[in-house]
Amino acid sequence: MVTAPSLWGLIPLFLFIVLIFRKWNPIAAIGGAIIVGAVMSGASLMDVATVIAKNGMTDFVAYIGLVILAGGGLGKIAEKTGVARNIVSFILKRVGINSPNKAMVSTMIASCVLSALLGTLAGANAIIAPVLIPVVAAAGLSSSVVAILFHGAAAAGLLLGPFTPPMVTLMELTGLSYPQVLLHAGLPYAIVLLIVTFVYSKVILKKSLKDHAYPSEDANVHVEEPNHDPRQAMISKQATAAFLITLIGAIIYGITVKGGANFTIVVILLTAIVTGLAGRMNPNQISETFVEGAKPLLWIFLQFVLFTPFIYFIEKMGGFEALKNLLLPLVESSGQTGMIIISTLVNVAGIPGAAVAHSILMHKMFLPTVTNLHVPMSIWALALLVGSQMPSFLYPTGDAIGAMGLARSNDLKNVIIFGVVATVAVMLLVIVYAFLL
């Protein structure tokens, strides 16, 4: 049995990271880490059950999992009612794709907007891919470029939406409002990421067309209008209007009453119901479609429920406390600027594919030092966001591979290089902010 505080208490965390890198299912990886943590801390089976029931189901992390499930449900309703397709088609028509540059801009706008509205990276790209690929292929984009655009732009969208998992998590951890998190963290990060995405895509476009051009049949496909039936087209437009009005109205109301992260689930559910009704779905169809969209994300919810017991046993053994004691002299001696840079660098090399969990880990680990050094919470929000999100760029995780699959690309090399370039650029943003403290 490990006596706190001890660096041995971090073994479950290291085990979890190793298993994730070895491509274990996240639930299996975190389950194995919980077992090791329980054994090392001397916990009984009843202790494990109690922590899962009392802590896992009631902790804010589980609520984030619920938000993700609900976001998947809303996305499916937006897809079934034609809302998502209408939004993409509107963007395509407004930009007017007649050159590679406009094709890249259109793809980025569509991916970013839908990701921000639906709160899901993979879901947004899955919806727009069939509509966009024939158009951008005809405009002269390669599959390599489209994969990078999907990855970078959708990731940027998650940093802008009011009820996306990273933004909801930041609001809860820092106590900042949505406008504050957006202004100080989400927007600067997203702008840098979008610029890097566009510039890198421009740089590789000509060369990637030689080896990764879309087949001619893709470039010759005619993209049909969303609906040929006038009645269905009218219903789809009404559903789109209902979706946008309800979503924007609920967001404004939530900001006005300072609803914070807890109001997120209401925004999603209300928008889903109103959109479904406007799309002429009956209550049963709305429920069934909502559940259909949430089902593929159930594993995330289960992972988040198990995350609290995972953290509990690490804290019980004093793993974070021991690490803090070890790093504290270095961090404190470097002042506010050094603390922000060092903590972000440490966490950028952290857990890939578990951004929300990573944010909470970072916050628990460094919050005492942040408080002692009087680091502004707005700057800490940016450090949290960068430290938790960039591992998905630094390593070829599910987000990157998923973007490649949807873009029909097999060019992993450029995706990896893009991830490294994006990581360096965003870290430079943190360094600039740190020196401006």
Side-chain angles (χ1 to χ4, degrees):
M1 179 176 171
V2 175
T3 303
S6 171
L7 288 174
W8 290 107
L10 294 175
I11 286 180
L13 173 59
F14 293 137
L15 174 64
F16 174 60
I17 295 172
V18 169
L19 294 179
I20 288 292
F21 273 110
R22 293 185 65 84
K23 302 189 184 304
W24 276 46
N25 181 286
I27 295 176
I30 203 166
I34 288 173
I35 292 171
V36 170
V39 170
M40 291 181 64
S41 64
S44 66
L45 286 175
M46 191 60 207
D47 292 333
V48 175
T50 300
V51 173
I52 293 175
K54 289 188 176 180
N55 299 55
M57 292 298 294
T58 59
D59 195 82
F60 181 74
V61 184
Y63 174 73
I64 296 295
L66 183 62
V67 167
I68 293 173
L69 283 179
L74 173 60
K76 181 58 69 172
I77 288 176
E79 179 185 346
K80 287 284 182 72
T81 56
V83 170
R85 189 181 182 98
N86 282 345
I87 293 173
V88 173
S89 297
F90 175 80
I91 293 170
L92 292 178
K93 289 177 181 177
R94 286 292 176 182
V95 175
I97 298 177
N98 53 18
S99 69
N101 281 347
K102 287 187 176 181
M104 287 191 285
V105 171
S106 296
T107 302
M108 291 175 66
I109 293 174
S111 181
C112 185
V113 169
L114 220 57
S115 176
L117 291 176
L118 302 183
T120 164
L121 185 152
N125 285 334
I127 290 169
I128 68 174
V131 183
L132 273 172
I133 286 178
V135 180
V136 299
L141 297 192
S142 66
S143 60
S144 302
V145 166
V146 175
I148 287 165
L149 295 174
F150 278 175
H151 186 28
L158 290 179
L159 311 177
L160 302 174
F163 59 83
T164 61
M167 295 297 277
V168 173
T169 303
L170 276 185
M171 286 188 284
E172 176 66 20
L173 294 179
T174 63
L176 300 175
S177 65
Y178 167 67
Q180 289 174 316
V181 173
L182 180 65
L183 179 63
H184 296 291
L187 190 58
Y189 182 175
I191 289 173
V192 171
L193 188 53
L194 289 171
I195 291 172
V196 172
T197 300
F198 182 82
V199 171
Y200 188 83
S201 297
K202 282 276 291 180
V203 169
I204 70 164
L205 176 58
K206 187 175 181 179
K207 185 176 180 181
S208 66
L209 277 171
K210 295 179 182 178
D211 300 319
H212 302 284
Y214 279 107
S216 57
E217 55 266 28
D218 280 334
N220 294 328
V221 172
H222 173 66
V223 181
E224 299 179 348
E225 290 296 316
N227 279 301
H228 291 295
D229 181 356
R231 181 175 180 277
Q232 286 302 317
M234 180 191 69
I235 292 174
S236 179
K237 288 179 181 178
Q238 291 174 352
T240 303
F243 174 86
L244 294 173
I245 292 171
T246 305
L247 179 62
I248 295 171
I251 290 170
I252 293 173
Y253 174 79
I255 293 173
T256 303
V257 300
K258 298 181 180 179
N262 292 331
F263 190 66
T264 301
I265 195 69
V266 176
V267 174
I268 297 175
L269 293 176
L270 181 62
T271 305
I273 293 169
V274 173
T275 303
L277 292 174
R280 305 303 192 274
M281 287 181 165
N282 61 45
N284 283 346
Q285 290 173 323
I286 292 174
S287 301
E288 289 167 3
T289 304
F290 192 86
V291 172
E292 181 186 350
K295 272 182 183 178
L297 303 172
L298 181 60
W299 69 272
I300 297 179
F301 176 72
L302 294 176
Q303 180 189 359
F304 285 3
V305 169
L306 294 176
F307 183 75
T308 299
F310 166 64
I311 294 295
Y312 171 83
F313 290 117
I314 294 176
E315 290 185 330
K316 185 178 179 182
M317 294 182 285
F320 294 136
E321 184 181 353
L323 182 60
K324 180 192 72 176
N325 294 339
L326 183 66
L327 295 176
L328 199 58
L330 173 64
V331 173
E332 289 188 338
S333 63
S334 57
Q336 289 184 334
T337 300
M339 185 272 164
I340 291 295
I341 296 172
I342 292 171
S343 63
T344 308
L345 282 171
V346 167
N347 286 288
V348 159
I351 307 171
V356 172
H358 197 169
S359 295
I360 297 167
L361 277 172
M362 283 180 64
H363 194 64
K364 285 181 177 290
M365 192 179 303
F366 290 104
L367 183 59
T369 308
V370 169
T371 304
N372 291 339
L373 293 177
H374 304 291
V375 174
M377 198 52 65
S378 56
I379 303 298
W380 180 235
L382 177 62
L384 278 176
L385 193 59
V386 171
S388 61
Q389 293 294 315
M390 290 321 293
S392 66
F393 283 85
L394 195 57
Y395 315 114
T397 59
D399 288 344
I401 302 301
M404 286 176 58
L406 291 169
R408 306 173 199 171
S409 169
N410 59 4
D411 185 7
L412 182 59
K413 176 183 175 181
N414 267 310
V415 169
I416 292 174
I417 296 172
F418 164 67
V420 174
V421 172
T423 301
V424 172
V426 176
M427 269 306 308
L428 288 174
L429 172 68
V430 174
I431 291 172
V432 170
Y433 264 64
F435 275 105
L436 291 176
L437 274 174

